[in-house]
Structures are given as C-alpha cells and as structure tokens.
Amino acid sequence: MTAKDRPLVTILDDEPEIRTMLAEALEESGFDTLSFGRARAFEAALSRHRPDVCLVDLSLPDTDGLTLVHRLALEQGAIVIIISGRAEVQDRVTGLELGADDYIIKPFDPAEVVARIRARLRSTKPNPQAGDTARFNGWTAHFDRYVLENAEGAETPFSHAEGEVLRLFLDSPKRLISRAQMQESLGGAASESFDRAMDVRISRLRTKLSEDPKNPQLIKTIYGAGYIFLGDVTWG
C-alpha cells in the first residue's frame, strides 16, 4: 500500500454501470479511483500511476482477462481482485492460481467489494518491526520489489499473492500455521478454491526457493495440521 492517505483503486470493466457503481462506493468509503473500459487504456495508465488495488473483469473486449491478471500479479505488486460473472469453481481456482488475491462473483453488493478490499489491505500491512527485506538460509526476500534473491545474486519475481504467503511464513518461523490461520490472516473465504489456491502458491514458492518437491526443507507440510517454515529469518 502506498504512503498516501487515500488508497488508489483501478477498475477495469467494460460495463459503464458497474464502473460507476464501484467508483461511487469506493470514493464514498475513502478511496481514490480510476476507471477503464478497455485493457489498453488501463495498462497505459499503469505507467503513470501505482494503484494499491486492481479490480479486473475477466470478460474484456480487447484482451484475455486471465492473462492480464497473471501479468499484473507478477509485475505490479498491487492487490489484484477479479470481478466476474464466471461462477464456476474452476474459474475461481484458475484466477487464484494465476496470482489473483481474491475473486468476487457478479452480481455483487458494492459494500461487499469495499469490505473485501479493506480486508486485503489490512492483510498486507507489514509487521511494524519487519521492514521490507528478510534474509533466510542464503535467500533474501525483497518485499518492496517482489523478488527473491539467491546467494549468487540471481533474482526471481514473485506475485503479490505469493508474497502474502511468504511473509506469513517469515513472520512466524518454526511455528505451525494451520489452514484456518492462513484463511484468517490472508482474508480468504473458506472454500475449495481458497485451499487449492494456497496449495498452488506454496508449490510455486517451493519451486522458486529451489526446494525438492518430494522433500522440501524450508516449507514443510504437516499433514492434517498445516505448514511450518523451518528457515532462520532475519528482518531488515
């Protein structure tokens, strides 16, 4: 989240009524907004503005929404929330797997969108003593740039959603983190799609940390209980 008083939310949806409804609800609730009906104009604006949250419809006339969501998750460092009429579980799972932080199904109450955005922003507030850099077992996580750096200096980007999970582990090393705790900390709703999205994010983090998928040494699964991060973590 940026240092300004009013977080900036960008809205990308080709339906003017939805853009207007969301913009009015968000601005009344203390947010600034920028609204777009086409992905091209939306992406051009990202070179001039750094949003805190991106609301993205999947059914766009000029680009594939899922591809855009994946690119935003890796490149922008913003919270990415899908707003879509696609209600199937597989659609939600795919969106979350590609890096979205949340998935809201149309039709929706704008008050719910505001509440979900606030929940996501609260969940991304860093530990006040943590800073933006964590070092552990030869790795450095740069949360200001969303990259992992290995001992040789090679960098690998991670998405905002992956970063939330990684920060959760790094804030509580060598402690069991249950699924329920992850759900509470990350602002997700208990569901099959949330569980599968967490599995995918943890799998991707393990890959980026060069973990052996059959015998991971940093992020251990405690079957039926949750996960434990076994690294020695130093912040700052």
Side-chain angles (χ1 to χ4, degrees), residues 80-103:
V80 180
I81 298 177
I82 292 171
I83 50 174
S84 177
R86 304 180 192 175
E88 296 297 324
V89 170
Q90 187 56 51
D91 289 321
R92 300 199 300 272
V93 169
T94 300
L96 295 169
E97 286 178 347
L98 289 175
D101 296 270
D102 205 347
Y103 193 113

Side-chain angles (χ1 to χ4, degrees), residues 177-193:
I177 300 176
S178 68
R179 288 277 184 163
Q181 288 171 313
M182 294 181 76
Q183 176 195 334
E184 180 179 358
S185 297
L186 301 179
S191 65
E192 178 186 355
S193 58

Side-chain angles (χ1 to χ4, degrees), residues 9-22:
V9 180
T10 54
I11 303 164
L12 175 57
D13 195 297
D14 65 342
E15 298 182 58
E17 299 83 1
I18 290 181
R19 296 199 302 271
T20 299
M21 176 182 67
L22 286 171

Side-chain angles (χ1 to χ4, degrees), residues 5-81:
D5 292 334
R6 291 171 63 94
L8 174 62
V9 180
T10 54
I11 303 164
L12 175 57
D13 195 297
D14 65 342
E15 298 182 58
E17 299 83 1
I18 290 181
R19 296 199 302 271
T20 299
M21 176 182 67
L22 286 171
E24 289 178 350
L26 286 162
E27 288 169 9
E28 289 175 1
S29 300
F31 297 87
D32 288 331
T33 65
L34 292 171
S35 298
F36 306 90
R38 296 292 186 272
R40 182 175 298 179
F42 169 78
E43 293 190 272
L46 294 180
S47 65
R48 304 186 301 273
H49 304 279
R50 185 176 179 181
D52 298 285
V53 180
C54 297
L55 297 177
V56 180
D57 184 22
L58 294 183
S59 300
L60 299 168
D62 59 339
T63 195
D64 174 60
L66 286 172
T67 300
L68 177 59
V69 164
H70 186 53
R71 189 162 65 249
L72 289 172
L74 287 177
E75 295 177 0
Q76 287 299 315
I79 295 167
V80 180
I81 298 177

Side-chain angles (χ1 to χ4, degrees), residues 98-113:
L98 289 175
D101 296 270
D102 205 347
Y103 193 113
I104 299 174
I105 299 171
K106 298 178 181 179
F108 49 73
D109 186 327
E112 177 192 0
V113 179

